[in-house]
């Protein structure tokens, strides 16, 4: 199959940090169809050759084994081309069309890696010059819009030129191998599925913490903030993956129907929960991995009095039969203590204790997404030898004494605290996917790009899902616009404002790392 991939925003941050490295990996894994052309589109005037050189230099920033060697990059670069384009200029789209028509391909993927406010303009121009053919697919980066209204407007315009089956709304978290494995764990095994419900689960936490700041993305981040950047999409998609019902099959719409039901079941906000169940924060100067870093308002492109949040923690519920009453805690932040993305499922304690157990260290299933992906089951086990009468090890001799008393016929029922058996130790069953499957696995963007080229929609977000997610965050955005809600600062290199601990503690829980 031959393809053309037109990358709008072809010289931008996302293109060279994520998309082009992913295409290069696909080339390396020999999964990128050889008969394909990747056409970078941006405003600067540049030749194909200059674009190749620029991308070659930028890809040298890729870390470790994923960095291209000169010879292999030269071969990959033969698939790279460039077309200058002022996105508001019709004649530039005509020139783009000419470039595409010179090398017809089976399918054409238009990847919009630009600021979302340009999406409608680009679609209108593509439509006007006939670049919205049946064989065209369009990939839209997140966040799609600034709020529910703009999301609806963008979707309406895009849908007037492309049908839903041609629209690939990307959320790269869905392409992560760990998320594929979450689906495999839940729907490819029967072991855990019956355990994931209000009967056995006491709470679920989703943490997406980053130690990096906003880097050079100040102006973008000022318009976006953590709620739009991470919660409205990545965190909610993960919540769906953990809370959804098994789909009837693995087709895109079957999966998306189930995710949609979860999004529509999220507990609506009210004036009280908008205050009690959400904490927003912003990083101040601090130390990350021993190095001093600036506060958010000192970053380039950020207003000195900015009220943009770089941290959000919130509590919600999924109001349906499976999950009613189980708190779901979501948390994300920049410049936090470490990079850590994980889903923690806390199971209820045993209904009646017969052992001594350290508090809160087991009965957990943890899905690790980053920096390494894996699954860990935290259990209690008996690691210490039992002690016998005469031994003084705290905790064990009480149990033994009761038994002896019973045997000698002078048994008296022990008090509650004295019936507890040995002290158990926390242990873990660990599945490390790098160890099991190797480190050279297909990354999120690589997977999603190949899916878009192949026309597989399973891991892309449908417009109704996106609307449901925007509808749910809308009251928070509106509340924050009033600026009455406190914005707490937290020193860089920490786990966010202390109020986030207070919020979760008020429901009797604590964050997993506390
Ligand atoms: C992007 C956000 O969608 O996800 C970034 O815009 C964030 O702000 C990034 O850093 C995190 O992705 P990952 O894959 O590095 O966890």
């Amino acid at each position: 199959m031959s393809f053309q991939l037109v990358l709008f925003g072809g010289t931008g941050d996302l293109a060279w940090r994520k998309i082009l490295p992913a295409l290069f990996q696909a080339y390396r894994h020999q999964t990128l169809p050889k008969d394909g052309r990747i056409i970078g589109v941006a405003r600067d005037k540049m030749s194909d050759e200059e674009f190749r050189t620029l991308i070659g230099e930028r890809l040298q920033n890729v870390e470790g084994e994923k960095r291209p060697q000169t010879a292999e990059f030269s071969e990959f670069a033969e698939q790279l081309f460039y077309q200058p384009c002022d996105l508001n200029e019709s004649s530039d789209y005509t020139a783009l069309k000419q470039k595409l028509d010179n090398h017809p391909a089976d399918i054409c993927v238009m990847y919009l890696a630009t600021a979302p406010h340009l999406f409608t303009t680009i679609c209108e121009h593509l439509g006007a010059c006939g670049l919205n053919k049946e064989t065209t697919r369009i990939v839209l980066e997140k966040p799609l819009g600034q709020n529910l209204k703009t999301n609806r407007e963008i979707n309406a315009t895009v849908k007037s030129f492309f049908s839903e089956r041609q629209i690939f709304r990307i959320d790269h978290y869905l392409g992560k191998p760990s998320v594929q494995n979450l689906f495999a764990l839940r729907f490819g095994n029967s072991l855990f599925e019956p355990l994931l419900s209000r009967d056995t689960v006491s709470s679920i936490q989703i943490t997406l913490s980053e130690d990096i700041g906003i880097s050079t993305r100040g102006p973008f981040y000022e318009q976006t903030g953590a709620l739009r950047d991470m919660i409205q999409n990545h965190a909610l998609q993960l919540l769906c993956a953990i809370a959804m019902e098994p789909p009837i099959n693995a087709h895109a719409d079957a999966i998306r129907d189930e995710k949609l039901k979860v999004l529509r079941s999220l507990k609506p906000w009210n004036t009280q929960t908008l205050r009690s169940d959400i904490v927003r924060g912003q990083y101040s100067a601090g130390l990350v991995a021993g190095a001093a870093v600036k506060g958010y308002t000192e970053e380039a492109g950020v207003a000195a009095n900015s009220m943009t949040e770089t941290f959000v923690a919130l509590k919600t519920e999924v109001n349906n039969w499976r999950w009613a009453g189980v708190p779901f805690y979501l948390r994300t932040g920049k410049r936090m203590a470490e990079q850590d993305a994980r889903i923690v499922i806390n199971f209820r304690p045993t209904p009646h204790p017969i052992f001594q157990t350290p508090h809160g260290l087991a009965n957990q299933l943890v899905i690790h997404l980053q920096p390494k992906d894996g699954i860990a089951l935290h259990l209690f086990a008996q690691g210490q030898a039992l002690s016998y009468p005469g031994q003084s090890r705290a905790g064990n001799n009480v149990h033994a004494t009761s038994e002896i008393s019973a045997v000698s016929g002078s048994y008296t029922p022990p008090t509650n605290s004295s019936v507890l058996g040995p002290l158990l130790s926390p242990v873990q069953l660990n599945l490390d996917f790098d160890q099991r499957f190797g480190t050279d696995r297909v990354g999120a963007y690589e997977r999603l790009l190949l899916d878009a080229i192949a026309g597989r929609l399973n891991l892309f977000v449908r417009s109704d899902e996106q609307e449901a997610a925007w509808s749910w965050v809308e009251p928070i955005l509106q509340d924050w616009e009033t600026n009455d809600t406190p914005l707490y600062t937290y020193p860089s290199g920490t786990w966010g404002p202390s109020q986030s601990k207070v919020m979760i503690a008020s429901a009797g829980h604590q964050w997993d790392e506390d």
Side-chain angles (χ1 to χ4, degrees), residues 4 15 18 90 166 180 189 203 208 230 270 282 308 374 377 384 390 394 458 466 490 507:
Q4 288 172 323
K18 300 276 190 191
S90 310
Q166 294 174 282
Q180 312 308 307
N189 298 281
S203 70
L208 306 177
M230 299 292 285
N270 60 39
Q282 188 185 77
T308 302
L377 187 59
Q384 298 167 345
N458 300 34
Q466 228 173 29
Y490 59 97

Side-chain angles (χ1 to χ4, degrees), residues 273-509:
T273 54
L274 282 168
R275 289 286 174 278
S276 59
D277 294 356
I278 309 183
V279 173
R280 63 169 172 165
Q282 188 185 77
Y283 64 81
S284 56
L287 282 180
V288 173
V293 296
K294 291 179 189 168
Y296 177 71
T297 52
E298 296 150 327
E299 303 272 19
V302 173
N305 60 352
S306 172
M307 291 291 284
T308 302
E309 79 289 354
T310 61
F311 173 95
V312 180
L314 61 84
K315 174 181 156 207
T316 187
E317 287 173 27
V318 177
N319 288 337
N320 63 18
W321 275 48
R322 187 193 276 257
W323 292 113
V326 177
F328 283 71
Y329 297 102
L330 312 187
R331 175 176 62 158
T332 187
K334 299 262 185 220
R335 284 280 187 238
M336 297 200 25
E338 57 192 57
Q339 184 200 26
D340 181 19
R342 66 169 73 180
I343 302 171
V344 179
I345 301 162
N346 290 306
F347 292 97
R348 293 187 189 284
T350 51
H352 171 69
I354 63 165
F355 295 109
Q356 301 175 70
T357 51
H359 179 71
L361 291 171
N363 278 313
Q364 276 185 341
L365 178 65
V366 183
I367 319 288
H368 291 278
L369 292 95
Q370 257 161 209
K372 284 168 74 68
D373 59 328
I375 295 175
L377 187 59
H378 295 236
L379 305 166
F380 283 125
Q382 191 172 302
Q384 298 167 345
L386 277 177
S387 55
Y388 293 94
Q391 285 185 294
S392 62
R393 186 185 286 170
N396 288 345
N397 52 358
V398 174
H399 176 83
T401 308
S402 302
E403 276 177 16
I404 298 295
S405 306
V407 169
S408 68
S410 60
Y411 178 75
T412 43
T415 62
N416 243 357
S417 64
S418 68
V419 296
L420 292 178
L423 177 67
L424 300 184
S425 312
V427 291
Q428 287 185 31
L429 288 174
N430 270 325
L431 177 56
D432 177 330
F433 288 117
D434 279 353
Q435 266 179 16
R436 179 63 187 81
F437 296 121
T439 49
D440 190 23
R441 281 176 293 140
V442 177
Y445 269 94
E446 181 181 351
R447 160 94 202 229
L448 295 174
L449 281 157
L450 291 172
D451 279 357
I453 292 170
R456 285 187 293 263
L457 276 161
N458 300 34
L459 299 177
F460 293 85
V461 182
R462 211 169 51 192
S463 64
D464 48 6
E465 277 182 81
Q466 228 173 29
E467 261 198 33
W470 275 116
S471 302
W472 184 74
V473 297
E474 187 77 5
I476 313 176
L477 292 171
Q478 285 176 2
D479 185 53
W480 289 357
E481 260 166 34
T482 64
N483 279 345
D484 290 344
T485 323
L487 175 73
Y488 301 104
T489 52
Y490 59 97
S492 289
T494 65
W495 284 105
S498 57
Q499 286 77 6
S500 118
K501 293 187 183 181
V502 174
M503 187 262 292
I504 192 169
S506 68
H509 297 115

Side-chain angles (χ1 to χ4, degrees), residues 17-18 141-142 172-173 176 210 212 217 220-221 229-230 233-234 334 339 341 370 445:
R17 271 193 319 116
K18 300 276 190 191
E141 262 296 338
K142 54 142 283 270
H172 77 277
Y173 267 64
K176 285 185 186 281
E210 299 180 278
I212 55 169
R217 300 198 303 158
F220 161 80
Y221 206 83
D229 192 37
M230 299 292 285
N233 30 69
H234 302 326
K334 299 262 185 220
Q339 184 200 26
Q370 257 161 209
Y445 269 94

